[in-house]
Amino acid sequence: MRFVFKQYTMHKAFLLVLMIFYNGLSSNAASSSVEARPKVVNIGALLSFDSSIGKVAKVAVEAAVDDVNRDQSVLGATKLQLNMRDTNYSGYMSMLGALSLMGSEVVAIIGPQFSVTAHFLSLIANELQVPLLSFAATDPTLSSPQYPFFVRTTHSDAFQMAAIADIVDYYGWRAVIAIYVDDDHGRNGIAALGDKLAQKRCKISYKAPFSPNMDQPNEISDVLYEVALMESRIIVLHAYPDTGLEVLKEARHLRMMGAGYVWIVTDWLSTKIDTYSPHLTEAMDDIQGVITLRMYAPDSQQKTKFAFGWSNLTSRNATGGAFGLNTYGLYAYDTVWLLAYAIDAFLNQKGNLSFSYHPGLSELQRENLHADAFKIFREGNWLLHSISQVNFTGLTGSIYFSDGNLVHPAYEVINVIETGFKRVGYWSNYSGLSVEPPEKLYTKPPSNSSQQLSSVIWPGQTVQGKRLRIGVPNRVFYHEFVSVQGTNVFSGYCIDVFTAAMKLLPYVVPYDFEAFGDGHSNPNTTELLRLISVGRYDAAIGDISITTDRARMVDFTQPFIESGLVVVAPVRKLNSSAWAFLRPFTPMMWLVTAIFFLVTGLVVWILEHRINGDFRGPPRRQIVTILWFSFSTLFFAHKEKTMSTLGRLVLIIWLFVVLVLNSSYIASLTSILTVEQLTSSIKGIESLVTSNEPIGYQRGSFAGNYLINEYKIDKSRLFPLNSAEDCIKALQDGPQKGGVAAVVDEKAYIELLLSSNCEFSIVGQEFSKNGWGFVRVSSL
């Protein structure tokens, strides 16, 4: 069965009325006579008899009318006369049925059943002042003051969406995907869900609507394909019973009902199960592990008695075999009683029922189009007020209104498993999620701090989802990065990064840490990654370096620390001395500088001595002049004047060079005299490779193999070190005492080591660029 609902505007609605009149629709209703207490009060009902809700509600409404008429304490001698219309899923038929009932001078209509229909029928009800009491139209926007004659005798979807938001928040999910029917019922329900999630700092990450009539056969598949590409696996399905089951069936076909997925569906599924449970054996395979809601009705003798006699009621009224009782049937039954109590209170105050012509139909009257069949219920506002004041206990518990809604909205949280379902808790607007029935909590102060649900069997027959086994290297030192204490206490910077990242996920991933290594010697990280590739672990976290060889085995996340290999070696302090002024330049630099001084003086002499008397004289004087002129330019103190153009050009260039030399010398000398100077015989990886000195590295690190493969260092020169103490001792001893000349390790480790050991230092530059990342098996 397909749902075809179309919303009509007021203009179109009354055009339809004109057509009905024009085609000769008439009513034999006469002007109501004013009586002190009428013997019969007409009420109407609009239901889709073949729907999951409608067929149950039809039986329940008829049973309630019979019970009210038998109970003299309610209406006394007055009887309810029920006029029922089958809307057959059609908005058009709903309008015809509503107009037909209003032509029968009904004082109220039970229905409509669907939210889409309720929107435009409420506008007609406003004009004719006939209350609509709907036990199934749950669209939150129908509570608007725009529809004063619409009375919801069930709970709004705003409360159901609040329950779903609490469930999402309870499990720590941060984003959901919403699949919904694209009409007023679906759109407005999902809008309410978005508002409730926002209050929990959650969100709808993707909305996937589908049309109500589903004219395209592959529409559901197309929608689910888009959903499967999304990151989130938490899906909320808000639909009608028949289309909802088709969505779940197609989802199972696309393998979207397996482990890792979470499906939360609104109460249409519990309604379908309650109504057709013995006949849903095949469909149950499509909904295993789904969470659904059911409107909560507390246990009572009245409810038990009605449920016990349900089979007798369906055997008398059913036309297509027996069917079960759902909660909408309970609310439909209570709606009749609510209306009966309201009519009784109204008659006690007013004593009569009266109808009058609608002034807007005078033109139709003049055209003799039988407009007299449609009249305004003059006491409609009084009856509406009486409805809002009713207070009684029915099959669904306490029935009275607060702010236009029934009090104590509550739902059961249900987990579908095997051939039935298991209740895992309750939700109420008073206390949130709990494993205790709501009525027990109404006597206690409200509290949302102790939210609780029983264990859930998720899709794929998993309890709380699949728990990942995550390996953590149990290293002997550098515990600031990863620390394993006992068997289940894990801490350190890498653990903190991982847990913080998991909290940012829009869904919960259950996991367990498992230590890899005995804690007495550093484990081989490459072996840990091999165990991931063969399925022993699902992932690994910690100070794990990303290398080309390792990336061929497993997948890495993006690096969360940049850490390349560096060389650390002992350094010694250069003490100041009287000859410290010579240290800014090397001996070779001093020699080259002196040669340039002499060459410059000689060139200037050659260019000037023929025309400049300052550069002439005896040979001895000319030699002294050359030397004096050259070195005096160092302090810009030369007295000799240059007269030739080329001489001046050479002098300008040389003075600029002298300026640079002076500046460099002063800067270097200042640094030497003010900053502690450290030096080492090892200058970097190049000098280490060319020497024959022993080299240390951290046991279990990739550094050893890297030096062998990339720099062709003989394995005999490499010494694995088990702890930070071993590194310090090996560097202090040096090659002469059986130690090492330098240690090659990752920069992050070395910086931590040097933070408390100033006698060592990094020499040279990083010679590999890699980082630390978390690991998962490629097929995870």
Side-chain angles (χ1 to χ4, degrees), residues 566-571 679-685 687 742 761-767:
V566 295
V567 177
V568 61
V571 292
T679 186
S680 172
S681 59
I682 304 297
K683 303 303 180 183
I685 186 64
S687 63
S761 179
I762 296 175
V763 293
Q765 303 295 322
E766 288 184 55
F767 57 92

Side-chain angles (χ1 to χ4, degrees), residues 341-359:
Y341 283 119
I343 292 174
D344 181 63
F346 163 75
L347 292 177
N348 288 337
Q349 294 177 2
K350 298 294 292 181
N352 64 347
L353 305 173
S354 61
F355 296 83
S356 62
Y357 296 123
H358 192 291

Side-chain angles (χ1 to χ4, degrees), residues 1-5 88-90 211-217 220 240 242-243 246:
M1 183 64 67
R2 299 287 187 252
F3 296 93
V4 182
F5 298 113
N88 195 27
Y89 295 99
S90 170
S211 68
N213 51 8
M214 289 189 301
D215 293 331
Q216 300 178 3
I220 291 181
Y240 298 107
D242 293 337
T243 52
E246 291 187 23

